Amino acid sequence: MDQRTARIERNTLETQIKVNINLDGTGKSSFATGVPFLEHMLDQIARHGLIDIEVAAKGDLEIDAHHTVEDVGITLGQAFAQAVGDKKGIVRYGHAYIPLDEALSRVVVDFSGRPGLVYDVKFPRSTIGSFDVDLFREFFQGFVNHAGITLHIDNLKGSNAHHVAETIFKAMGRALRMAVAIDPRMAGMMPSTKGSL
């Protein structure tokens, strides 16, 4: 099997971002974004997805974290699109339900080639520490637009905002792990009746 890795660099007037991923990794991660709670969440994707992820970002945090969080999502999405390649032989679909104490979230993903986000999450408060929870939607929108995936995120229960966020990102890692896995029964075939994704 070819190595399913990607190295993406994205530079704008607002952010400079470098992302490295290995879809067949062991969950190793390294982050330097200036947004600690985002890094904590990205670590959930890496560890629970068994995907090696490195992200280095410099952004206009003196304004707020919006551009950095959104652009990390964009760049990470580009890396996934590159690393998964032509998608032959992958499972394509992935899903996970993840609990954390009182919180429960469901994430379902399809490497469809069509970007789409359904995001049904109502956080019990507007910030977690200094992190604005509205930025999570921006992260996921940037990710799906550039990964070319359909992503459904539903928080089913939860009264603690930290727990809600963590269940979403853990479930995201598990769902991605399932979707990008190589299915030996597919033997390099395209997982679509259309013949391409």
Side-chain angles (χ1 to χ4, degrees), residues 73-149:
I74 289 170
T75 313
L76 192 61
Q78 291 171 334
F80 267 82
Q82 181 175 309
V84 81
D86 64 10
K87 304 174 192 168
K88 286 181 180 176
I90 68 167
V91 172
R92 175 179 168 176
Y93 302 100
H95 64 273
Y97 286 81
I98 296 293
L100 175 56
D101 297 343
E102 88 301 342
L104 175 66
S105 293
R106 174 183 60 217
V107 172
V108 183
V109 63
D110 175 12
F111 275 77
S112 60
R114 298 181 304 278
L117 175 65
V118 177
Y119 183 84
D120 188 6
V121 180
K122 294 173 181 65
F123 281 96
R125 63 178 193 267
S126 61
T127 59
I128 302 172
S130 62
F131 188 90
D132 178 356
V133 297
D134 287 347
L135 298 183
F136 285 132
R137 185 183 187 99
E138 301 304 317
F139 170 85
F140 287 116
Q141 190 68 67
F143 183 85
V144 301
N145 286 349
H146 293 269
I149 65 170

Side-chain angles (χ1 to χ4, degrees), residues 2-76:
D2 292 335
Q3 207 172 26
R4 300 191 301 163
T5 62
R7 180 184 301 265
I8 301 289
E9 187 169 342
R10 184 175 191 272
N11 295 300
T12 73
L13 295 177
E14 297 166 340
T15 61
Q16 298 81 48
I17 299 173
K18 295 178 182 176
V19 169
N20 295 318
I21 67 167
N22 178 357
L23 298 182
D24 302 305
T26 59
K28 293 183 296 186
S29 63
S30 172
F31 305 113
T33 68
V35 186
F37 196 74
L38 175 65
E39 295 176 9
H40 180 46
M41 294 299 101
L42 293 175
D43 191 40
Q44 305 306 320
I45 294 175
R47 289 177 186 270
H48 295 278
L50 292 180
I51 299 164
D52 295 343
I53 303 176
E54 296 177 18
V55 179
K58 292 183 181 177
D60 52 0
L61 296 177
E62 69 280 2
I63 297 172
D64 69 7
H66 186 285
H67 296 141
T68 300
V69 173
E70 180 181 24
D71 289 5
V72 166
I74 289 170
T75 313
L76 192 61

